[in-house]
mmCIF file with all atom_site columns, all heavy atoms in Angstrom:
data_model
loop_
_atom_site.group_PDB
_atom_site.id
_atom_site.type_symbol
_atom_site.label_atom_id
_atom_site.label_alt_id
_atom_site.label_comp_id
_atom_site.label_asym_id
_atom_site.label_entity_id
_atom_site.label_seq_id
_atom_site.pdbx_PDB_ins_code
_atom_site.Cartn_x
_atom_site.Cartn_y
_atom_site.Cartn_z
_atom_site.occupancy
_atom_site.B_iso_or_equiv
_atom_site.pdbx_formal_charge
_atom_site.auth_seq_id
_atom_site.auth_comp_id
_atom_site.auth_asym_id
_atom_site.auth_atom_id
_atom_site.pdbx_PDB_model_num
ATOM 1   N N   . PHE A 1 1  ? 82.685 68.702 49.057 1.00 98.00 ? 1  PHE A N   1
ATOM 2   C CA  . PHE A 1 1  ? 83.158 69.623 48.055 1.00 98.00 ? 1  PHE A CA  1
ATOM 3   C C   . PHE A 1 1  ? 82.978 71.017 48.606 1.00 98.00 ? 1  PHE A C   1
ATOM 4   O O   . PHE A 1 1  ? 81.963 71.406 49.258 1.00 98.00 ? 1  PHE A O   1
ATOM 5   C CB  . PHE A 1 1  ? 82.225 69.525 46.820 1.00 98.00 ? 1  PHE A CB  1
ATOM 6   C CG  . PHE A 1 1  ? 82.572 68.146 46.004 1.00 98.00 ? 1  PHE A CG  1
ATOM 7   C CD1 . PHE A 1 1  ? 83.262 67.134 46.549 1.00 98.00 ? 1  PHE A CD1 1
ATOM 8   C CD2 . PHE A 1 1  ? 82.029 68.013 44.796 1.00 98.00 ? 1  PHE A CD2 1
ATOM 9   C CE1 . PHE A 1 1  ? 83.460 65.937 45.927 1.00 98.00 ? 1  PHE A CE1 1
ATOM 10  C CE2 . PHE A 1 1  ? 82.158 66.857 44.044 1.00 98.00 ? 1  PHE A CE2 1
ATOM 11  C CZ  . PHE A 1 1  ? 82.923 65.744 44.702 1.00 98.00 ? 1  PHE A CZ  1
ATOM 12  N N   . THR A 1 2  ? 83.870 72.055 48.042 1.00 98.00 ? 2  THR A N   1
ATOM 13  C CA  . THR A 1 2  ? 83.756 73.317 48.433 1.00 98.00 ? 2  THR A CA  1
ATOM 14  C C   . THR A 1 2  ? 83.963 74.274 47.072 1.00 98.00 ? 2  THR A C   1
ATOM 15  O O   . THR A 1 2  ? 85.091 74.045 46.440 1.00 98.00 ? 2  THR A O   1
ATOM 16  C CB  . THR A 1 2  ? 84.819 73.861 49.437 1.00 98.00 ? 2  THR A CB  1
ATOM 17  O OG1 . THR A 1 2  ? 84.581 72.944 50.575 1.00 98.00 ? 2  THR A OG1 1
ATOM 18  C CG2 . THR A 1 2  ? 84.582 75.295 49.850 1.00 98.00 ? 2  THR A CG2 1
ATOM 19  N N   . ALA A 1 3  ? 83.071 74.968 46.866 1.00 98.00 ? 3  ALA A N   1
ATOM 20  C CA  . ALA A 1 3  ? 83.218 75.997 45.734 1.00 98.00 ? 3  ALA A CA  1
ATOM 21  C C   . ALA A 1 3  ? 83.860 77.397 46.199 1.00 98.00 ? 3  ALA A C   1
ATOM 22  O O   . ALA A 1 3  ? 83.388 77.806 47.356 1.00 98.00 ? 3  ALA A O   1
ATOM 23  C CB  . ALA A 1 3  ? 81.808 76.228 45.106 1.00 98.00 ? 3  ALA A CB  1
ATOM 24  N N   . SER A 1 4  ? 84.681 77.876 45.528 1.00 97.00 ? 4  SER A N   1
ATOM 25  C CA  . SER A 1 4  ? 85.285 79.154 45.851 1.00 97.00 ? 4  SER A CA  1
ATOM 26  C C   . SER A 1 4  ? 85.574 80.006 44.715 1.00 97.00 ? 4  SER A C   1
ATOM 27  O O   . SER A 1 4  ? 85.407 79.451 43.467 1.00 97.00 ? 4  SER A O   1
ATOM 28  C CB  . SER A 1 4  ? 86.653 79.051 46.732 1.00 97.00 ? 4  SER A CB  1
ATOM 29  O OG  . SER A 1 4  ? 87.574 78.314 45.936 1.00 97.00 ? 4  SER A OG  1
ATOM 30  N N   . LYS A 1 5  ? 86.028 81.184 44.758 1.00 95.00 ? 5  LYS A N   1
ATOM 31  C CA  . LYS A 1 5  ? 86.221 82.130 43.550 1.00 95.00 ? 5  LYS A CA  1
ATOM 32  C C   . LYS A 1 5  ? 87.398 83.113 43.814 1.00 95.00 ? 5  LYS A C   1
ATOM 33  O O   . LYS A 1 5  ? 87.763 83.296 44.996 1.00 95.00 ? 5  LYS A O   1
ATOM 34  C CB  . LYS A 1 5  ? 84.893 82.864 43.416 1.00 95.00 ? 5  LYS A CB  1
ATOM 35  C CG  . LYS A 1 5  ? 84.520 83.785 44.423 1.00 95.00 ? 5  LYS A CG  1
ATOM 36  C CD  . LYS A 1 5  ? 83.141 84.507 44.244 1.00 95.00 ? 5  LYS A CD  1
ATOM 37  C CE  . LYS A 1 5  ? 82.832 85.413 45.348 1.00 95.00 ? 5  LYS A CE  1
ATOM 38  N NZ  . LYS A 1 5  ? 83.661 86.476 45.584 1.00 95.00 ? 5  LYS A NZ  1
ATOM 39  N N   . ASP A 1 6  ? 87.921 83.512 42.773 1.00 92.00 ? 6  ASP A N   1
ATOM 40  C CA  . ASP A 1 6  ? 88.862 84.627 42.780 1.00 92.00 ? 6  ASP A CA  1
ATOM 41  C C   . ASP A 1 6  ? 88.338 85.593 41.783 1.00 92.00 ? 6  ASP A C   1
ATOM 42  O O   . ASP A 1 6  ? 88.506 85.418 40.567 1.00 92.00 ? 6  ASP A O   1
ATOM 43  C CB  . ASP A 1 6  ? 90.164 84.003 42.431 1.00 92.00 ? 6  ASP A CB  1
ATOM 44  C CG  . ASP A 1 6  ? 91.287 85.037 42.509 1.00 92.00 ? 6  ASP A CG  1
ATOM 45  O OD1 . ASP A 1 6  ? 90.940 86.366 42.379 1.00 92.00 ? 6  ASP A OD1 1
ATOM 46  O OD2 . ASP A 1 6  ? 92.414 84.809 42.697 1.00 92.00 ? 6  ASP A OD2 1
ATOM 47  N N   . ASN A 1 7  ? 87.669 86.679 42.283 1.00 88.00 ? 7  ASN A N   1
ATOM 48  C CA  . ASN A 1 7  ? 87.101 87.639 41.395 1.00 88.00 ? 7  ASN A CA  1
ATOM 49  C C   . ASN A 1 7  ? 88.152 88.284 40.481 1.00 88.00 ? 7  ASN A C   1
ATOM 50  O O   . ASN A 1 7  ? 87.776 88.615 39.303 1.00 88.00 ? 7  ASN A O   1
ATOM 51  C CB  . ASN A 1 7  ? 86.423 88.774 42.248 1.00 88.00 ? 7  ASN A CB  1
ATOM 52  C CG  . ASN A 1 7  ? 85.139 88.153 42.793 1.00 88.00 ? 7  ASN A CG  1
ATOM 53  O OD1 . ASN A 1 7  ? 85.229 87.230 43.759 1.00 88.00 ? 7  ASN A OD1 1
ATOM 54  N ND2 . ASN A 1 7  ? 84.006 88.774 42.476 1.00 88.00 ? 7  ASN A ND2 1
ATOM 55  N N   . ALA A 1 8  ? 89.256 88.576 40.934 1.00 87.00 ? 8  ALA A N   1
ATOM 56  C CA  . ALA A 1 8  ? 90.298 89.271 40.298 1.00 87.00 ? 8  ALA A CA  1
ATOM 57  C C   . ALA A 1 8  ? 90.821 88.399 39.060 1.00 87.00 ? 8  ALA A C   1
ATOM 58  O O   . ALA A 1 8  ? 91.210 88.969 37.940 1.00 87.00 ? 8  ALA A O   1
ATOM 59  C CB  . ALA A 1 8  ? 91.534 89.609 41.143 1.00 87.00 ? 8  ALA A CB  1
ATOM 60  N N   . LYS A 1 9  ? 90.672 87.122 39.116 1.00 89.00 ? 9  LYS A N   1
ATOM 61  C CA  . LYS A 1 9  ? 91.091 86.193 38.138 1.00 89.00 ? 9  LYS A CA  1
ATOM 62  C C   . LYS A 1 9  ? 89.921 85.722 37.351 1.00 89.00 ? 9  LYS A C   1
ATOM 63  O O   . LYS A 1 9  ? 90.109 84.991 36.338 1.00 89.00 ? 9  LYS A O   1
ATOM 64  C CB  . LYS A 1 9  ? 91.834 85.006 38.685 1.00 89.00 ? 9  LYS A CB  1
ATOM 65  C CG  . LYS A 1 9  ? 93.154 85.469 39.278 1.00 89.00 ? 9  LYS A CG  1
ATOM 66  C CD  . LYS A 1 9  ? 93.967 84.109 39.876 1.00 89.00 ? 9  LYS A CD  1
ATOM 67  C CE  . LYS A 1 9  ? 95.274 84.490 40.555 1.00 89.00 ? 9  LYS A CE  1
ATOM 68  N NZ  . LYS A 1 9  ? 96.021 83.425 40.869 1.00 89.00 ? 9  LYS A NZ  1
ATOM 69  N N   . SER A 1 10 ? 88.691 86.139 37.719 1.00 89.00 ? 10 SER A N   1
ATOM 70  C CA  . SER A 1 10 ? 87.503 85.599 37.107 1.00 89.00 ? 10 SER A CA  1
ATOM 71  C C   . SER A 1 10 ? 87.551 84.059 37.017 1.00 89.00 ? 10 SER A C   1
ATOM 72  O O   . SER A 1 10 ? 87.245 83.434 35.999 1.00 89.00 ? 10 SER A O   1
ATOM 73  C CB  . SER A 1 10 ? 87.328 86.196 35.701 1.00 89.00 ? 10 SER A CB  1
ATOM 74  O OG  . SER A 1 10 ? 87.060 87.566 35.683 1.00 89.00 ? 10 SER A OG  1
ATOM 75  N N   . THR A 1 11 ? 87.962 83.478 38.169 1.00 93.00 ? 11 THR A N   1
ATOM 76  C CA  . THR A 1 11 ? 88.080 82.062 38.175 1.00 93.00 ? 11 THR A CA  1
ATOM 77  C C   . THR A 1 11 ? 87.404 81.422 39.380 1.00 93.00 ? 11 THR A C   1
ATOM 78  O O   . THR A 1 11 ? 87.397 82.035 40.414 1.00 93.00 ? 11 THR A O   1
ATOM 79  C CB  . THR A 1 11 ? 89.636 81.644 38.273 1.00 93.00 ? 11 THR A CB  1
ATOM 80  O OG1 . THR A 1 11 ? 90.339 82.094 37.026 1.00 93.00 ? 11 THR A OG1 1
ATOM 81  C CG2 . THR A 1 11 ? 89.884 80.162 38.462 1.00 93.00 ? 11 THR A CG2 1
ATOM 82  N N   . VAL A 1 12 ? 86.706 80.338 39.173 1.00 96.00 ? 12 VAL A N   1
ATOM 83  C CA  . VAL A 1 12 ? 86.126 79.643 40.286 1.00 96.00 ? 12 VAL A CA  1
ATOM 84  C C   . VAL A 1 12 ? 86.846 78.335 40.554 1.00 96.00 ? 12 VAL A C   1
ATOM 85  O O   . VAL A 1 12 ? 87.340 77.790 39.553 1.00 96.00 ? 12 VAL A O   1
ATOM 86  C CB  . VAL A 1 12 ? 84.646 79.519 40.052 1.00 96.00 ? 12 VAL A CB  1
ATOM 87  C CG1 . VAL A 1 12 ? 83.871 80.848 40.141 1.00 96.00 ? 12 VAL A CG1 1
ATOM 88  C CG2 . VAL A 1 12 ? 84.368 78.814 38.714 1.00 96.00 ? 12 VAL A CG2 1
ATOM 89  N N   . TYR A 1 13 ? 86.658 77.779 41.647 1.00 98.00 ? 13 TYR A N   1
ATOM 90  C CA  . TYR A 1 13 ? 87.300 76.479 41.985 1.00 98.00 ? 13 TYR A CA  1
ATOM 91  C C   . TYR A 1 13 ? 86.283 75.504 42.547 1.00 98.00 ? 13 TYR A C   1
ATOM 92  O O   . TYR A 1 13 ? 85.281 75.850 43.151 1.00 98.00 ? 13 TYR A O   1
ATOM 93  C CB  . TYR A 1 13 ? 88.412 76.781 42.933 1.00 98.00 ? 13 TYR A CB  1
ATOM 94  C CG  . TYR A 1 13 ? 89.510 77.828 42.459 1.00 98.00 ? 13 TYR A CG  1
ATOM 95  C CD1 . TYR A 1 13 ? 89.363 79.120 42.888 1.00 98.00 ? 13 TYR A CD1 1
ATOM 96  C CD2 . TYR A 1 13 ? 90.480 77.400 41.661 1.00 98.00 ? 13 TYR A CD2 1
ATOM 97  C CE1 . TYR A 1 13 ? 90.319 80.010 42.397 1.00 98.00 ? 13 TYR A CE1 1
ATOM 98  C CE2 . TYR A 1 13 ? 91.380 78.419 41.209 1.00 98.00 ? 13 TYR A CE2 1
ATOM 99  C CZ  . TYR A 1 13 ? 91.249 79.718 41.492 1.00 98.00 ? 13 TYR A CZ  1
ATOM 100 O OH  . TYR A 1 13 ? 92.124 80.550 41.200 1.00 98.00 ? 13 TYR A OH  1
ATOM 101 N N   . LEU A 1 14 ? 86.618 74.305 42.392 1.00 98.00 ? 14 LEU A N   1
ATOM 102 C CA  . LEU A 1 14 ? 85.804 73.243 43.195 1.00 98.00 ? 14 LEU A CA  1
ATOM 103 C C   . LEU A 1 14 ? 86.747 72.331 43.868 1.00 98.00 ? 14 LEU A C   1
ATOM 104 O O   . LEU A 1 14 ? 87.517 71.419 43.136 1.00 98.00 ? 14 LEU A O   1
ATOM 105 C CB  . LEU A 1 14 ? 84.858 72.422 42.123 1.00 98.00 ? 14 LEU A CB  1
ATOM 106 C CG  . LEU A 1 14 ? 83.967 71.569 42.814 1.00 98.00 ? 14 LEU A CG  1
ATOM 107 C CD1 . LEU A 1 14 ? 82.837 72.199 43.688 1.00 98.00 ? 14 LEU A CD1 1
ATOM 108 C CD2 . LEU A 1 14 ? 83.248 70.620 41.853 1.00 98.00 ? 14 LEU A CD2 1
ATOM 109 N N   . GLU A 1 15 ? 86.918 72.413 45.149 1.00 98.00 ? 15 GLU A N   1
ATOM 110 C CA  . GLU A 1 15 ? 87.850 71.714 45.947 1.00 98.00 ? 15 GLU A CA  1
ATOM 111 C C   . GLU A 1 15 ? 86.928 70.461 46.202 1.00 98.00 ? 15 GLU A C   1
ATOM 112 O O   . GLU A 1 15 ? 85.795 70.493 46.912 1.00 98.00 ? 15 GLU A O   1
ATOM 113 C CB  . GLU A 1 15 ? 88.202 72.362 47.199 1.00 98.00 ? 15 GLU A CB  1
ATOM 114 C CG  . GLU A 1 15 ? 89.209 71.614 48.011 1.00 98.00 ? 15 GLU A CG  1
ATOM 115 C CD  . GLU A 1 15 ? 90.528 71.491 47.523 1.00 98.00 ? 15 GLU A CD  1
ATOM 116 O OE1 . GLU A 1 15 ? 90.910 72.435 46.804 1.00 98.00 ? 15 GLU A OE1 1
ATOM 117 O OE2 . GLU A 1 15 ? 91.238 70.446 47.726 1.00 98.00 ? 15 GLU A OE2 1
ATOM 118 N N   . MET A 1 16 ? 87.403 69.231 45.782 1.00 98.00 ? 16 MET A N   1
ATOM 119 C CA  . MET A 1 16 ? 86.740 67.909 45.945 1.00 98.00 ? 16 MET A CA  1
ATOM 120 C C   . MET A 1 16 ? 87.581 67.100 47.025 1.00 98.00 ? 16 MET A C   1
ATOM 121 O O   . MET A 1 16 ? 88.637 66.700 46.605 1.00 98.00 ? 16 MET A O   1
ATOM 122 C CB  . MET A 1 16 ? 86.518 67.262 44.659 1.00 98.00 ? 16 MET A CB  1
ATOM 123 C CG  . MET A 1 16 ? 85.754 68.138 43.680 1.00 98.00 ? 16 MET A CG  1
ATOM 124 S SD  . MET A 1 16 ? 85.375 67.299 42.142 1.00 98.00 ? 16 MET A SD  1
ATOM 125 C CE  . MET A 1 16 ? 86.859 67.024 41.486 1.00 98.00 ? 16 MET A CE  1
ATOM 126 N N   . ASN A 1 17 ? 87.055 66.765 48.100 1.00 98.00 ? 17 ASN A N   1
ATOM 127 C CA  . ASN A 1 17 ? 87.678 66.049 49.126 1.00 98.00 ? 17 ASN A CA  1
ATOM 128 C C   . ASN A 1 17 ? 86.878 64.599 49.310 1.00 98.00 ? 17 ASN A C   1
ATOM 129 O O   . ASN A 1 17 ? 85.818 64.485 49.020 1.00 98.00 ? 17 ASN A O   1
ATOM 130 C CB  . ASN A 1 17 ? 87.838 66.795 50.452 1.00 98.00 ? 17 ASN A CB  1
ATOM 131 C CG  . ASN A 1 17 ? 88.553 67.961 50.349 1.00 98.00 ? 17 ASN A CG  1
ATOM 132 O OD1 . ASN A 1 17 ? 89.560 67.988 49.710 1.00 98.00 ? 17 ASN A OD1 1
ATOM 133 N ND2 . ASN A 1 17 ? 88.091 69.129 50.924 1.00 98.00 ? 17 ASN A ND2 1
ATOM 134 N N   . ARG A 1 18 ? 87.658 63.665 49.892 1.00 98.00 ? 18 ARG A N   1
ATOM 135 C CA  . ARG A 1 18 ? 87.009 62.301 50.097 1.00 98.00 ? 18 ARG A CA  1
ATOM 136 C C   . ARG A 1 18 ? 86.276 61.862 48.916 1.00 98.00 ? 18 ARG A C   1
ATOM 137 O O   . ARG A 1 18 ? 85.038 61.529 49.040 1.00 98.00 ? 18 ARG A O   1
ATOM 138 C CB  . ARG A 1 18 ? 86.106 62.459 51.345 1.00 98.00 ? 18 ARG A CB  1
ATOM 139 C CG  . ARG A 1 18 ? 86.854 63.002 52.647 1.00 98.00 ? 18 ARG A CG  1
ATOM 140 C CD  . ARG A 1 18 ? 86.096 62.697 53.820 1.00 98.00 ? 18 ARG A CD  1
ATOM 141 N NE  . ARG A 1 18 ? 84.736 63.143 53.874 1.00 98.00 ? 18 ARG A NE  1
ATOM 142 C CZ  . ARG A 1 18 ? 84.427 64.422 54.186 1.00 98.00 ? 18 ARG A CZ  1
ATOM 143 N NH1 . ARG A 1 18 ? 85.308 65.406 54.446 1.00 98.00 ? 18 ARG A NH1 1
ATOM 144 N NH2 . ARG A 1 18 ? 83.057 64.770 54.177 1.00 98.00 ? 18 ARG A NH2 1
ATOM 145 N N   . LEU A 1 19 ? 86.973 61.828 47.904 1.00 98.00 ? 19 LEU A N   1
ATOM 146 C CA  . LEU A 1 19 ? 86.234 61.490 46.512 1.00 98.00 ? 19 LEU A CA  1
ATOM 147 C C   . LEU A 1 19 ? 85.769 60.017 46.618 1.00 98.00 ? 19 LEU A C   1
ATOM 148 O O   . LEU A 1 19 ? 86.618 59.150 47.214 1.00 98.00 ? 19 LEU A O   1
ATOM 149 C CB  . LEU A 1 19 ? 87.193 61.651 45.352 1.00 98.00 ? 19 LEU A CB  1
ATOM 150 C CG  . LEU A 1 19 ? 87.303 63.158 45.028 1.00 98.00 ? 19 LEU A CG  1
ATOM 151 C CD1 . LEU A 1 19 ? 88.553 63.413 44.230 1.00 98.00 ? 19 LEU A CD1 1
ATOM 152 C CD2 . LEU A 1 19 ? 86.003 63.615 44.181 1.00 98.00 ? 19 LEU A CD2 1
ATOM 153 N N   . LYS A 1 20 ? 84.809 59.683 45.966 1.00 98.00 ? 20 LYS A N   1
ATOM 154 C CA  . LYS A 1 20 ? 84.162 58.430 45.899 1.00 98.00 ? 20 LYS A CA  1
ATOM 155 C C   . LYS A 1 20 ? 84.179 57.898 44.447 1.00 98.00 ? 20 LYS A C   1
ATOM 156 O O   . LYS A 1 20 ? 84.032 58.707 43.577 1.00 98.00 ? 20 LYS A O   1
ATOM 157 C CB  . LYS A 1 20 ? 82.798 58.429 46.469 1.00 98.00 ? 20 LYS A CB  1
ATOM 158 C CG  . LYS A 1 20 ? 82.614 58.890 47.915 1.00 98.00 ? 20 LYS A CG  1
ATOM 159 C CD  . LYS A 1 20 ? 81.233 59.050 48.285 1.00 98.00 ? 20 LYS A CD  1
ATOM 160 C CE  . LYS A 1 20 ? 80.994 59.522 49.681 1.00 98.00 ? 20 LYS A CE  1
ATOM 161 N NZ  . LYS A 1 20 ? 79.680 59.573 50.048 1.00 98.00 ? 20 LYS A NZ  1
ATOM 162 N N   . PRO A 1 21 ? 84.073 56.585 44.235 1.00 97.00 ? 21 PRO A N   1
ATOM 163 C CA  . PRO A 1 21 ? 83.950 56.162 42.758 1.00 97.00 ? 21 PRO A CA  1
ATOM 164 C C   . PRO A 1 21 ? 82.747 56.848 42.040 1.00 97.00 ? 21 PRO A C   1
ATOM 165 O O   . PRO A 1 21 ? 82.794 57.071 40.863 1.00 97.00 ? 21 PRO A O   1
ATOM 166 C CB  . PRO A 1 21 ? 83.830 54.738 42.913 1.00 97.00 ? 21 PRO A CB  1
ATOM 167 C CG  . PRO A 1 21 ? 84.654 54.398 44.040 1.00 97.00 ? 21 PRO A CG  1
ATOM 168 C CD  . PRO A 1 21 ? 84.228 55.543 45.142 1.00 97.00 ? 21 PRO A CD  1
ATOM 169 N N   . GLU A 1 22 ? 81.702 56.986 42.735 1.00 97.00 ? 22 GLU A N   1
ATOM 170 C CA  . GLU A 1 22 ? 80.572 57.518 42.218 1.00 97.00 ? 22 GLU A CA  1
ATOM 171 C C   . GLU A 1 22 ? 80.557 59.000 41.754 1.00 97.00 ? 22 GLU A C   1
ATOM 172 O O   . GLU A 1 22 ? 79.686 59.547 41.191 1.00 97.00 ? 22 GLU A O   1
ATOM 173 C CB  . GLU A 1 22 ? 79.278 57.389 43.102 1.00 97.00 ? 22 GLU A CB  1
ATOM 174 C CG  . GLU A 1 22 ? 79.527 57.903 44.564 1.00 97.00 ? 22 GLU A CG  1
ATOM 175 C CD  . GLU A 1 22 ? 79.847 56.699 45.442 1.00 97.00 ? 22 GLU A CD  1
ATOM 176 O OE1 . GLU A 1 22 ? 80.664 55.921 45.023 1.00 97.00 ? 22 GLU A OE1 1
ATOM 177 O OE2 . GLU A 1 22 ? 79.174 56.605 46.625 1.00 97.00 ? 22 GLU A OE2 1
ATOM 178 N N   . ASP A 1 23 ? 81.790 59.613 42.139 1.00 98.00 ? 23 ASP A N   1
ATOM 179 C CA  . ASP A 1 23 ? 82.132 60.961 41.794 1.00 98.00 ? 23 ASP A CA  1
ATOM 180 C C   . ASP A 1 23 ? 82.689 61.059 40.363 1.00 98.00 ? 23 ASP A C   1
ATOM 181 O O   . ASP A 1 23 ? 82.796 62.137 39.750 1.00 98.00 ? 23 ASP A O   1
ATOM 182 C CB  . ASP A 1 23 ? 83.008 61.756 42.791 1.00 98.00 ? 23 ASP A CB  1
ATOM 183 C CG  . ASP A 1 23 ? 82.306 61.934 44.127 1.00 98.00 ? 23 ASP A CG  1
ATOM 184 O OD1 . ASP A 1 23 ? 81.184 62.270 44.239 1.00 98.00 ? 23 ASP A OD1 1
ATOM 185 O OD2 . ASP A 1 23 ? 83.142 61.783 45.026 1.00 98.00 ? 23 ASP A OD2 1
ATOM 186 N N   . THR A 1 24 ? 82.905 59.818 39.813 1.00 98.00 ? 24 THR A N   1
ATOM 187 C CA  . THR A 1 24 ? 83.568 59.847 38.499 1.00 98.00 ? 24 THR A CA  1
ATOM 188 C C   . THR A 1 24 ? 82.567 60.459 37.572 1.00 98.00 ? 24 THR A C   1
ATOM 189 O O   . THR A 1 24 ? 81.435 60.058 37.448 1.00 98.00 ? 24 THR A O   1
ATOM 190 C CB  . THR A 1 24 ? 83.886 58.475 38.118 1.00 98.00 ? 24 THR A CB  1
ATOM 191 O OG1 . THR A 1 24 ? 84.897 57.850 39.023 1.00 98.00 ? 24 THR A OG1 1
ATOM 192 C CG2 . THR A 1 24 ? 84.198 58.243 36.682 1.00 98.00 ? 24 THR A CG2 1
ATOM 193 N N   . ALA A 1 25 ? 82.889 61.378 36.629 1.00 98.00 ? 25 ALA A N   1
ATOM 194 C CA  . ALA A 1 25 ? 82.192 62.053 35.648 1.00 98.00 ? 25 ALA A CA  1
ATOM 195 C C   . ALA A 1 25 ? 82.929 63.120 34.876 1.00 98.00 ? 25 ALA A C   1
ATOM 196 O O   . ALA A 1 25 ? 84.193 63.313 35.344 1.00 98.00 ? 25 ALA A O   1
ATOM 197 C CB  . ALA A 1 25 ? 80.974 62.715 36.372 1.00 98.00 ? 25 ALA A CB  1
ATOM 198 N N   . VAL A 1 26 ? 82.460 63.651 33.894 1.00 98.00 ? 26 VAL A N   1
ATOM 199 C CA  . VAL A 1 26 ? 82.899 64.899 33.317 1.00 98.00 ? 26 VAL A CA  1
ATOM 200 C C   . VAL A 1 26 ? 82.328 66.065 34.051 1.00 98.00 ? 26 VAL A C   1
ATOM 201 O O   . VAL A 1 26 ? 81.121 66.049 34.053 1.00 98.00 ? 26 VAL A O   1
ATOM 202 C CB  . VAL A 1 26 ? 82.634 64.880 31.811 1.00 98.00 ? 26 VAL A CB  1
ATOM 203 C CG1 . VAL A 1 26 ? 83.155 66.179 31.217 1.00 98.00 ? 26 VAL A CG1 1
ATOM 204 C CG2 . VAL A 1 26 ? 83.349 63.794 31.185 1.00 98.00 ? 26 VAL A CG2 1
ATOM 205 N N   . TYR A 1 27 ? 83.170 66.914 34.514 1.00 98.00 ? 27 TYR A N   1
ATOM 206 C CA  . TYR A 1 27 ? 82.662 68.183 35.290 1.00 98.00 ? 27 TYR A CA  1
ATOM 207 C C   . TYR A 1 27 ? 82.760 69.307 34.500 1.00 98.00 ? 27 TYR A C   1
ATOM 208 O O   . TYR A 1 27 ? 83.740 69.511 33.810 1.00 98.00 ? 27 TYR A O   1
ATOM 209 C CB  . TYR A 1 27 ? 83.615 68.330 36.567 1.00 98.00 ? 27 TYR A CB  1
ATOM 210 C CG  . TYR A 1 27 ? 83.259 67.285 37.565 1.00 98.00 ? 27 TYR A CG  1
ATOM 211 C CD1 . TYR A 1 27 ? 83.529 65.966 37.413 1.00 98.00 ? 27 TYR A CD1 1
ATOM 212 C CD2 . TYR A 1 27 ? 82.611 67.643 38.760 1.00 98.00 ? 27 TYR A CD2 1
ATOM 213 C CE1 . TYR A 1 27 ? 83.333 65.016 38.462 1.00 98.00 ? 27 TYR A CE1 1
ATOM 214 C CE2 . TYR A 1 27 ? 82.326 66.840 39.786 1.00 98.00 ? 27 TYR A CE2 1
ATOM 215 C CZ  . TYR A 1 27 ? 82.700 65.491 39.627 1.00 98.00 ? 27 TYR A CZ  1
ATOM 216 O OH  . TYR A 1 27 ? 82.467 64.515 40.586 1.00 98.00 ? 27 TYR A OH  1
ATOM 217 N N   . TYR A 1 28 ? 81.631 69.922 34.368 1.00 98.00 ? 28 TYR A N   1
ATOM 218 C CA  . TYR A 1 28 ? 81.570 71.206 33.641 1.00 98.00 ? 28 TYR A CA  1
ATOM 219 C C   . TYR A 1 28 ? 81.247 72.403 34.396 1.00 98.00 ? 28 TYR A C   1
ATOM 220 O O   . TYR A 1 28 ? 80.525 72.299 35.497 1.00 98.00 ? 28 TYR A O   1
ATOM 221 C CB  . TYR A 1 28 ? 80.292 71.057 32.705 1.00 98.00 ? 28 TYR A CB  1
ATOM 222 C CG  . TYR A 1 28 ? 80.394 70.048 31.663 1.00 98.00 ? 28 TYR A CG  1
ATOM 223 C CD1 . TYR A 1 28 ? 79.886 68.749 31.987 1.00 98.00 ? 28 TYR A CD1 1
ATOM 224 C CD2 . TYR A 1 28 ? 81.021 70.148 30.470 1.00 98.00 ? 28 TYR A CD2 1
ATOM 225 C CE1 . TYR A 1 28 ? 80.093 67.578 31.075 1.00 98.00 ? 28 TYR A CE1 1
ATOM 226 C CE2 . TYR A 1 28 ? 81.077 69.184 29.455 1.00 98.00 ? 28 TYR A CE2 1
ATOM 227 C CZ  . TYR A 1 28 ? 80.570 67.959 29.776 1.00 98.00 ? 28 TYR A CZ  1
ATOM 228 O OH  . TYR A 1 28 ? 80.652 66.841 28.902 1.00 98.00 ? 28 TYR A OH  1
ATOM 229 N N   . CYS A 1 29 ? 81.865 73.440 34.087 1.00 97.00 ? 29 CYS A N   1
ATOM 230 C CA  . CYS A 1 29 ? 81.489 74.823 34.800 1.00 97.00 ? 29 CYS A CA  1
ATOM 231 C C   . CYS A 1 29 ? 80.473 75.503 33.842 1.00 97.00 ? 29 CYS A C   1
ATOM 232 O O   . CYS A 1 29 ? 80.604 75.434 32.629 1.00 97.00 ? 29 CYS A O   1
ATOM 233 C CB  . CYS A 1 29 ? 82.645 75.578 35.176 1.00 97.00 ? 29 CYS A CB  1
ATOM 234 S SG  . CYS A 1 29 ? 83.572 76.338 33.910 1.00 97.00 ? 29 CYS A SG  1
ATOM 235 N N   . ALA A 1 30 ? 79.769 76.325 34.396 1.00 96.00 ? 30 ALA A N   1
ATOM 236 C CA  . ALA A 1 30 ? 78.661 77.145 33.583 1.00 96.00 ? 30 ALA A CA  1
ATOM 237 C C   . ALA A 1 30 ? 78.549 78.515 34.289 1.00 96.00 ? 30 ALA A C   1
ATOM 238 O O   . ALA A 1 30 ? 78.944 78.678 35.417 1.00 96.00 ? 30 ALA A O   1
ATOM 239 C CB  . ALA A 1 30 ? 77.204 76.370 33.706 1.00 96.00 ? 30 ALA A CB  1
#
C-alpha cells in the first residue's frame, strides 16, 4: 500500500496493490 496526497485538492489517496482476502474491510480515513 502507498499513501499519497494532493494538498491543492485536500485529498489523500491509498493505493492498494497485491490485495489479499485478509484486506477485506471497511476503510476509513481520519
Side-chain angles (χ1 to χ4, degrees):
F1 291 11
T2 302
S4 62
K5 62 184 179 68
D6 185 331
N7 288 57
K9 297 181 179 179
S10 293
T11 298
V12 294
Y13 306 96
L14 185 67
E15 182 75 33
M16 305 186 294
N17 298 316
R18 303 196 306 276
L19 282 161
K20 304 175 181 179
E22 51 263 44
D23 295 317
T24 295
V26 177
Y27 284 71
Y28 298 89
C29 71

